[in-house]
Amino acid sequence: MKKIVPSLLALSLAAAFSLHAATPKDTLVIAQSTDDADSFDPAKGFELTTMQAFTNIYQRLVQSDPQNPVDLKPTLATSWRAGSDNRSLIFELRKDAKFASGNPLRPEDVMFSLSRVVKLNLDPSFILTQLGWNKDNVDTFMKKVDDNHVQIGWSADLSPTFVLSLLSAPVSSILDEKTVMAHQQKEDLGNQWLATHSAGSGPYQIRKVVLHEVVLLTANPTSPGGAPKLKNILIKNVPEPAARRLLLEQGDADIARNLGADQIAALKGKAGVKTEAIPMASLYYMQFNIDANPVLKNPALWEASRYLFDYKGIADDLLKGQFDVHQTFLPKGFLGALDETPYQYDPEKAKAILKQAGLENVHFTLSTSNQPPYLDIAQALQASFARGGVKVDLIPGLSSEISANVKSHKYQAHLNAWGADYFDPNTNASTFAYNPENGNTTLAWRSNWHTPELNKQVLAATAESDSKKRVEMYQTLQREILKSSPYVIGLQARNLIALRDNLQGYVQGINPDMVYYAQVTK
């Protein structure tokens, strides 16, 4: 019976909105799949649905400017300065800041929020453990200076610039300690309660969550950033893209997310509808396991493969509107990202490169997810490589199984997508160019590619305080990976969405958390 009550609530909410010819004036209704949502605790939630909600429910000390994401702006902090040891920052907190509960923001809330991430040690915690923090030492790195200042330190060789980027990530959201701890169960630091509740200072707060059914947010009029324009945000779980399109077209939804090219095409010219293709920090690439056989270790194969990837054919013809051609490991929109595309589909040139290297009858297996667009892209690559004399056998499968095989080096080549974990160039440099030889979290490790010199460059970039020099370091890394590496990076994804044309003020950025509802009007 306990499960029936929330389900009925979700159905009644959805039905109430679907009866209107247009959605309520004070409510933004969004149709998307929420099947990925597991928890709305910033220390745990790492899925698209939860990440999109965090910026609207919580605030961080510093956050990206919605109009210029590479520019960090003070949010719950008003200013900061370096500590005397060059391994700490002292933040001045907003004096007027309050949580949705009415509790004032305190240094204790900042220390509690960051330390609980490390102590819970859930998926997003690696973002903060880069600071040298662990569950035993994290509390020693933070202290209350006075009622309006908090000091945050670190032991790793990191620049304050990079530390600020980490503190701007959703996992660094500041929580109301008093509210969270009032709902603690068995020393879980409020994790179970926060799965479907909120304790933040953002423009909205959770009113009701029924996982995989509905998310209802209501305005927080006391948010330090100001009250939002609309009273409610209703996010309905609509798994099928075609159904999401239909709801939008009929006026039963204001926004339909994650549509396919077919849905966008069907909406062209429809009255009351506008469509957008928003660049995402998601790169589609092919990688080789260079220890699987000697051919896959040969740089000549890596180079030839760059001329056998039909970039424009896939982006422009096969998957119209869903991708841009992109060949470097930093997505367009990130600090230091290069938009250089020196390679184009040229099977004859690829044949010449392989012949000069003495590689004949090249043959390998390519594993990928059996879901679109992965399988669509893999089949296109199978055909484009064949025209260059390279035989590719496809091994489609469940994403979880394919991923497990890649992490255990049981593959020859793999087609996948990589999304940024936080908005800093290190998020991708530390996977494409870094192999610490002690884990399966980086793509270099999964490729069995040993990169001692690149490792040094990656670490040096995180320690560099001068922004211009740091950009130059990441651009050097990108060009080295582009020239010779066991990856072929080919595409940057776009998020295809449709909106009712009476909506104003909606902003969505390149990272999953860069979804802003507060200024939306209709």
Side-chain angles (χ1 to χ4, degrees), residues 41-44 58 109-122 125 128 138-139 142 171 173 175 180-181 188-192 194:
D41 181 349
K44 183 178 182 181
Y58 293 99
D109 297 304
V110 175
M111 297 186 292
F112 167 77
S113 301
L114 300 178
S115 67
R116 75 182 288 274
V117 171
V118 177
K119 292 173 181 177
L120 287 172
N121 194 32
L122 300 170
S125 65
L128 294 184
V138 63
D139 288 331
M142 291 180 280
V171 72
S173 296
L175 283 61
V180 172
M181 293 306 289
D188 72 342
L189 299 174
N191 173 247
Q192 184 173 336
L194 283 170

Side-chain angles (χ1 to χ4, degrees), residues 119-196:
K119 292 173 181 177
L120 287 172
N121 194 32
L122 300 170
D123 284 350
S125 65
F126 78 92
I127 294 174
L128 294 184
T129 56
Q130 293 180 87
L131 297 168
W133 296 353
N134 59 51
K135 63 182 179 63
D136 297 319
N137 70 14
V138 63
D139 288 331
T140 67
F141 286 104
M142 291 180 280
K143 72 176 182 179
K144 175 181 177 179
V145 178
D146 57 37
D147 288 344
N148 204 43
H149 293 83
V150 62
Q151 182 167 337
I152 299 173
W154 58 92
S155 61
D157 186 16
L158 306 175
S159 71
T161 302
F162 179 55
V163 173
L164 285 170
S165 291
L166 300 183
L167 294 178
S168 73
V171 72
S172 300
S173 296
I174 306 304
L175 283 61
D176 178 354
E177 179 187 17
K178 292 180 179 179
T179 297
V180 172
M181 293 306 289
H183 296 89
Q184 179 174 227
Q185 300 178 41
K186 297 181 181 179
E187 300 183 350
D188 72 342
L189 299 174
N191 173 247
Q192 184 173 336
W193 183 77
L194 283 170
T196 56

